[in-house]
Amino acid sequence: MIQQNIDILMQRALEGRPRAALDAVAAAAARLTGCPSALVSIVEEQRQWFPAMAGIVATETPIEQSFCRWAVAQDSMLVVPDASADARFAEIPTVAGPGPNGEPPIRFYAGEPLRVSVEPGQKPVPIGALCVVSGAPRELDDHCRELLEGLGRAASELIQARVNTVTAEDMARALHETLAARDRFQRQLQQAERMTRVGSWRLALPSQQAEWSDQIFVIHELPSGSVKALEDALGYYPEPDRTILERALANTIETGAPFDLTLDFVTARGNPRKVRVMGDVERENASLVAVIGAMQDVTERYEVERRLRKRADTDELTRIATRRRFNEYCDALLMDSAGDRQPLALALIDLDHFKQVNDRFGHNCGDRVLLRAATALTSDWLANCFPARLGGDELVLLITDPALISDLPGTVRRLLDELVLPIPGSGGLHSTATIGVCLHRAGAINRSDLMSLADEALYAAKDRSRGTAAINIAGDGEDAPMVPEAMIMVDPSSRQPGDPPLR
């Protein structure tokens, strides 16, 4: 394979190119040694061919008829005084008889190997020979030997120059192709960055200088080209997200662990954004040299996801929270309040005889009653509470406002009054609500226990009378997390004359 590559290189360097200089070397060799013919040969695996010659018209011969292959093989000048008396050459057609164009049989041969470096910095290798031939036997004196050696060096240098030219052309072409591919890749990368709103960045260490791709500048709403110090780059992140990013960077530099964050961001023009920032380490010879990463403007996606989450978290009819959202909120609230022992109350609300409302006046009427009940739970005086629809006619209200909890019976009584709702098209009938409350004053409790104690209070109120409420006060128990401590029954404060509840 190596020899094949050399053969191809020699063909590219010598075939089809001006050969006046090599022809001149061949002519000089013939004249100065007194031989009728001289040629420059390139020895390949299957043939030898002649890029330059004097006194001969052949352009190539089979490798089996080559004298030069012996010179190349021994890598030193080969002198054959009488080829007909040399067993290596006696049977060659050009020795045994005239040449293909009527040349006299070869008797004398002297060939100086030609050496070139096929790649920059490599040791020169023999690739052919500068040789002189004659039809009469003779010897080569020292003076002619020196001349042939010198002309061989000149021929080698001429060929080397042509090889260097081809190599330079190849390198230039490869560089051009590399630059073109790089330019093409950069354009494709820029297109991909614009399409996906993703940019790349690099934080050089220890200089703390940030290098940005064009799309990073677009996200920042800054002109391209400037290099930012880390402190300047962090300035686009409001707190607490700036601190979050600083800690993530520090952890990546210290441990090599990558990070992936979604953060609040404010552009140079003051526009709020949501961005996703990823980072990882760049090493060189096992040493950390930079943190590299990507940044994407995810504002639109974030807004879509937020709207989808809001839709999933919001009951379509009442526009208050769904059961799923209530469960998430309640669990988070209980976890956050476990340590500071803040009191809270959970109120389960059943709309009384709601099935009869639907059956007698239609589902549209029932929907309007539900909507009015939800509206009552979002009144201004309940602004710090969390209402949700658990399903059907079941509503829930989480109360954390200290003022409302300090007079919880009064709060529940007001709820009972505000949930006396007129039934559209019923001729003056009203819907009422029955409420069961669990007051959790201190200690840890889970949602399941809280709901269970509120449900217990709800059934107690229903057993007494619809349209009333009961408060189950949860207390600390030694053997159980929470135990019922007391039950308070609550009646509505008033009823409007002539506005009977539905029975």
Side-chain angles (χ1 to χ4, degrees), residues 424-444:
S426 67
L429 295 177
H430 285 71
S431 171
T432 60
T434 303
I435 303 175
V437 181
C438 176
L439 172 61
H440 169 53
R441 292 184 299 193

Side-chain angles (χ1 to χ4, degrees), residues 32 51 107 123 219 235 254 311 326 370 441 459 463:
L32 293 175
R107 292 293 178 266
K123 181 180 179 181
I219 295 173
E254 180 180 355
R311 182 179 299 176
F326 165 76
L370 264 174
R441 292 184 299 193
Y459 276 95
D463 287 343

Side-chain angles (χ1 to χ4, degrees), residues 9 33 46 115-116 145 211 242 305 308 331 344 378 404 435 453:
L9 178 61
T33 59
Q46 302 298 326
R115 303 170 184 85
V116 297
R145 179 184 288 271
E211 304 165 10
R242 171 173 175 158
E305 291 175 352
L308 290 174
D331 289 342
L344 58 86
T378 56
L404 297 177
I435 303 175
L453 292 171

Side-chain angles (χ1 to χ4, degrees), residues 331-345:
D331 289 342
L333 181 65
L334 293 175
M335 184 177 296
D336 291 342
S337 64
D340 57 19
R341 304 174 67 86
Q342 292 297 314
L344 58 86

Side-chain angles (χ1 to χ4, degrees), residues 115-133:
R115 303 170 184 85
V116 297
S117 297
V118 295
E119 291 185 11
Q122 283 193 352
K123 181 180 179 181
V125 296
I127 48 92
L130 170 64
C131 59
V132 291
V133 296

Side-chain angles (χ1 to χ4, degrees), residues 398-446:
L398 267 174
I399 306 170
T400 56
D401 190 322
L404 297 177
I405 291 177
S406 66
D407 182 20
L408 189 58
T411 298
V412 174
R413 187 174 293 111
R414 184 174 178 181
L415 268 177
L416 286 171
D417 291 341
E418 297 206 2
L419 289 172
V420 177
L421 304 169
I423 301 173
S426 67
L429 295 177
H430 285 71
S431 171
T432 60
T434 303
I435 303 175
V437 181
C438 176
L439 172 61
H440 169 53
R441 292 184 299 193
I445 191 172
N446 59 46

Side-chain angles (χ1 to χ4, degrees), residues 228-268:
K228 293 290 181 182
L230 176 60
E231 188 68 21
D232 296 332
L234 291 172
Y236 295 93
Y237 299 87
E239 291 292 358
D241 289 27
R242 171 173 175 158
T243 298
I244 293 173
L245 181 55
E246 286 177 328
R247 290 174 178 172
L249 278 169
N251 182 65
T252 295
I253 293 171
E254 180 180 355
T255 67
F259 64 86
D260 186 346
L261 303 170
T262 299
L263 304 169
D264 287 327
F265 181 82
V266 179
T267 71

Side-chain angles (χ1 to χ4, degrees), residues 15 82 97 120 150 158 352 462 502:
E15 284 188 341
D82 186 354
L158 288 172
D352 297 326
K462 285 183 178 181
L502 178 68

